[in-house]
Structures are given as structure tokens and as C-alpha cells.
Amino acid sequence: CKNGGLIGPFYLEHVRGGVFKDINPEDEDAQPTEIESLCMNCYETGKTRLLLTKIPFFREIIISSFTCSQCHWTNTEIQSAGRIQEQGVSYTLKLKSKEDMNREVVKTDSATTRILELDFEIPAFTQKGSLSTIEGLLDRAVAGLEQDQPIRRATDPDVANKLDQFIQRLKKLKDVEEEFTLIIDDPSGNSFIENPFAPQKDQALSVSHYKRTPEQNAALGIQDYEPEQDDKPANDLETMRNEVLVFNTNCPECNSPASTNMKLVQIPHFKEVIIMATNCDSCGHRTNEVKSGGATEELGTRITLHLTDPADMSRDLLKSETCSVLIPELEFELGMAALGGKFTTLEGLLKDIKELIVTKNPFTCGDSATTDTAEKLEVFGKKIDKIIAGQMDVHIILDDPAGNSYLQNIYAPDPDPEMNLEKYTRTFEQNEDLGLNDMKTEGYGKTEN
């Protein structure tokens, strides 16, 4: 550890006491802790300041700042203190103007950074985590490349000259004279790139979630889980329908031990789903998630509902984790994997969207907040309230390439005059997102002669 190896023991000693505080400038108790640490530059005694805090809608983090009064060497970094997410995340950003340089970025030490046009990559675990901007990310990369240039010029001038040319190309990117592509791929799922147009969709930024490979799990220190074998049949669905299964887990808020209940439920006129609910006795946090109990459908499903009556808010709704939610009148799109799978009502979904975009948005509070962003999100929240109250004429679109989402037809078994159900063939990109292009279901295990 660059700060003398003290962060780990300090964290393990104090995290049990719940010292992670919400970001609040008026909280006098949320003060950094100072620890004497070994300077790795001059090997004298320096000072490390630690602040354990929570970023709303993000994670618990440890912010550390080291300074040495002897050689004046400094080092700052950010470490995620939360749990590793269930899926990895990849952000692809097309930078077209200098304003894009101001986008805020959370980059963990497990994230890989790439710039496609320069064929440049910063591998995972070669830099400490940071909270900065795109410009700060480039400055940090330039500083790392320039660090050993004096030695290279003396020992290998040709390599030093080539590296100087590359550094100049990297510096020119900050002027954004030409469009370039930045990719941040984080298997832990804890990195983030700001969307300055929230709650509208950012046309220049695409976000995808993926299942980690065994190699990525090993790099993150995650051990494979092998379920215990018992005498129950593995495919005894009748038993599972009449039984609530309970398994141990950790609370996503306070990380205390909790229990998750799981049950198979049959939705009328639809299919079987798996409902999972977690209730934490320590902090009172509650969460629920729904997953489809069947296979991926042959065709995707697009459900369009025209809201004409406040009674529509009570319609039952199943949103799978592969489903996108669109409100064309608000130019709003909620991508797949956001909010996860949910079995709720239409009103419950809209309230969850408002909470996600307005209440728990990390860029509406603290130093990241801007008046323009806060005003746009406040207007968006008021429009959601009007939709719930039946004061806006809008359409709600549920687009699920996997075909596992559902919206209640209150006229069933007759057709619903305000709802349109469309089946469509998935594109290659949608099959790629669902992992179907590389899936082999016929002749599996056979070898060719």
C-alpha cells in the first residue's frame, strides 16, 4: 500500500462500527481521520487523511490523501468499500467537443481504460481508483507515461522519442479536434461515467452489463459457489411452487447478514416467474427482484400502453432485467438492467424511476451538483407526478428483447383497446446483449470426425 499499509487494518477495525457517513457538509462528525504513514518516496514519516463516506445512489467509498512534509510527495486515491456488483459494466463514450472533457468519472482499480483511435489501453490494477473528469483521466495517463522519460532518454533514446510523440497525441485529445472513443470496462461493476443530459438518454454514451468470466472472478478474488447436494429432486417444480426457499446473503446497504426469500409464482395469462425479497433486520432496508422462470422467448416483446385514466396506475406490471422503459412524450428511455427485475404496479414503476433519476442521483448533491442539472431533474420529477395523477397524456413502452415482460390487460380475455402488444424478431446486437449468438443448443458435446 502506498500509504504504509494502514488502510486495510483501519477499514477492518472501523467498518464494523458503521463509520460510513452520508455526504453532508453540515455534519461536523464527518471529518477525515489522520494517520502517520510511511512515505514510499523518501521513506520518512508522512500523514494519511482518510474519509469514509457514502455517495448517494453509488457506493461506500474510502477517500485517502497522503502528504509528506519531508519531500512534499503527495498521493490521492479513491477505493470502493462496497460490494462487488452481480454484473460487470462497460461504458463506451464518443467524445465530440471540449465540454465532454468535463464529464465526471468514477474509475475503480479493477477497470480497464481504452482509447480506440490510439490503440491505447490502461490495464486493470495498474492504477488506483479515482474520482475525476475525462480530462483528469487523460492527465493522469500522460503523467504516468512521462514519469520515467528522463531515464529512457539516457538508456534508450529511440523508445523515448517514440513515447514523446505518443504523449503529444494523447495531450491533443483534450482539445477534441477529432472525435475519439473512450471505453471503461469494469468487471466489478463499480465504475461510472456521468450523463450530463439526464434524465434524457445520452446519445454519445452507451452502457452495457455483462456476466463475468471465471478469469475475471479470479482477478477480483471471488470464489466459485458450489451448491450443496441434497435428496430433493433438482427439477421438482411442484415442490418449489408450494415452498418458500430461504438462503443467506448480505444487505446491499449496510452489508450485514440478511436472508432472501425466493418463490415461484404463476402470473395469470403469462408465465411463471421467480420472486426474490430481501429484508435486513439491521438497517431496515428492503428490496425485491423478479426473474423469469422460463427460457428466453423466440421473439422479443414490445408493449405500448396509452394512459387515459388514473386507474391505469393500478395495472400489474412485470419488468424483467432485460426490459427497457420508454416515455416518448418526455424523450425518456430507461435502459435494460436499470432497476433490475420488478413485479409491481405501473404507479410503483414510475415512482421507482423518479427515485432513481431525481432523488438518488449522485450529481444533484454535493460538489457535483449544478443548478442547470438540478432544475432539469426537478421538472422531470414534476412531470412524473403529473403522469401518476392522470394529468398528462403519455404512452408507456416496455421493450423486452427476451420477451419476459408483462403488463396487465384489465379487459382480459378480451383485447385491451389502449394497449398494443407487438412481437418482433431480435437484431444481431440484441442477441449479442442476451448472449444468444454464441449459445450452442444442438449437437452439444458431439465431436466431428
Side-chain angles (χ1 to χ4, degrees), residues 285-425:
H285 176 73
R286 295 183 179 182
T287 181
N288 66 81
E289 187 174 358
V290 177
K291 295 184 179 294
S292 173
T296 301
E297 298 293 323
E298 293 185 3
L299 299 174
T301 301
R302 185 180 292 108
I303 306 172
T304 303
L305 175 65
H306 183 203
L307 299 180
T308 58
D309 193 295
D312 288 329
M313 292 295 108
S314 61
R315 290 177 184 248
D316 289 333
L317 178 145
L318 170 65
K319 174 195 171 299
S320 77
E321 57 187 7
T322 59
C323 178
S324 301
V325 181
L326 297 90
I327 307 178
E329 289 78 6
L330 301 187
E331 295 183 358
F332 172 76
E333 178 178 349
L334 183 74
M336 65 169 62
L339 290 178
K342 283 187 173 293
F343 184 42
T344 179
T345 62
L346 189 54
E347 180 180 3
L349 177 66
L350 291 173
K351 287 183 176 179
D352 287 340
I353 290 175
K354 178 183 176 182
E355 184 179 21
L356 174 70
I357 301 299
V358 181
T359 306
K360 292 185 176 181
N361 194 319
F363 297 106
T364 60
C365 57
D367 295 337
S368 300
T370 61
T371 303
D372 183 55
T373 301
E375 289 177 353
K376 287 194 298 184
L377 294 179
E378 183 179 357
V379 171
F380 177 80
K382 290 180 180 179
K383 290 181 179 179
I384 293 293
D385 291 336
K386 288 184 178 180
I387 294 175
I388 295 176
Q391 299 174 0
M392 283 191 69
D393 186 10
V394 299
H395 293 77
I396 303 292
I397 302 176
L398 303 179
D399 192 342
D400 188 356
N404 289 328
S405 294
Y406 161 83
L407 183 60
Q408 181 185 10
N409 175 8
I410 57 179
Y411 297 92
D414 297 326
D416 189 330
E418 302 298 337
M419 187 168 71
N420 180 43
L421 178 62
E422 176 188 355
K423 297 287 187 178
Y424 64 88
T425 302

Side-chain angles (χ1 to χ4, degrees), residues 112-309:
T112 299
T113 305
R114 300 186 187 94
I115 300 176
L116 297 184
E117 286 73 11
L118 298 185
D119 196 20
F120 175 68
E121 177 176 320
I122 303 175
F125 303 106
T126 58
Q127 289 183 347
K128 292 296 183 181
S130 63
L131 173 60
S132 63
T133 61
I134 301 292
E135 183 176 2
L137 207 64
L138 295 177
D139 287 338
R140 191 178 184 187
V142 169
L145 294 174
E146 289 180 337
Q147 184 175 1
D148 296 327
Q149 277 296 84
I151 298 176
R152 292 192 190 98
R153 291 190 181 97
T155 58
D156 197 339
D158 291 338
V159 173
N161 290 334
K162 292 179 180 179
L163 200 53
D164 283 334
Q165 296 175 9
F166 183 83
I167 290 174
Q168 291 303 317
R169 294 178 62 191
L170 201 57
K171 289 181 178 179
K172 286 183 179 179
L173 290 182
K174 293 193 295 183
D175 296 329
V176 198
E177 296 177 355
E178 296 181 359
E179 178 181 324
F180 68 95
T181 306
L182 174 71
I183 299 176
I184 295 182
D185 190 318
D186 187 359
S188 73
N190 286 329
S191 292
F192 189 80
I193 295 182
E194 177 191 5
N195 172 11
F197 305 102
Q200 276 76 35
K201 182 179 179 181
D202 190 344
Q203 299 296 333
L205 178 66
S206 62
V207 185
S208 61
H209 295 79
Y210 60 88
K211 185 177 180 181
R212 284 184 292 269
T213 64
E215 292 78 9
Q216 289 172 326
N217 283 330
L220 294 173
I222 302 176
Q223 296 182 354
D224 294 335
Y225 172 74
E226 296 182 1
E228 297 181 359
Q229 300 295 327
D230 51 32
D231 297 329
K232 293 183 180 181
N235 58 351
D236 192 356
L237 294 179
E238 192 61 37
T239 301
M240 295 182 67
R241 290 190 184 98
N242 301 322
E243 181 181 359
V244 177
L245 303 179
V246 181
F247 57 90
N248 297 325
T249 184
N250 289 338
C251 173
E253 285 291 326
C254 66
N255 212 33
S256 299
S259 296
T260 295
N261 298 329
M262 182 177 72
K263 192 177 189 305
L264 277 174
V265 176
Q266 177 68 44
I267 298 180
H269 309 290
F270 190 53
K271 61 170 66 175
E272 258 181 350
V273 298
I274 302 173
I275 298 180
M276 295 184 290
T278 303
N279 186 11
C280 179
D281 296 331
S282 298
C283 67
H285 176 73
R286 295 183 179 182
T287 181
N288 66 81
E289 187 174 358
V290 177
K291 295 184 179 294
S292 173
T296 301
E297 298 293 323
E298 293 185 3
L299 299 174
T301 301
R302 185 180 292 108
I303 306 172
T304 303
L305 175 65
H306 183 203
L307 299 180
T308 58
D309 193 295

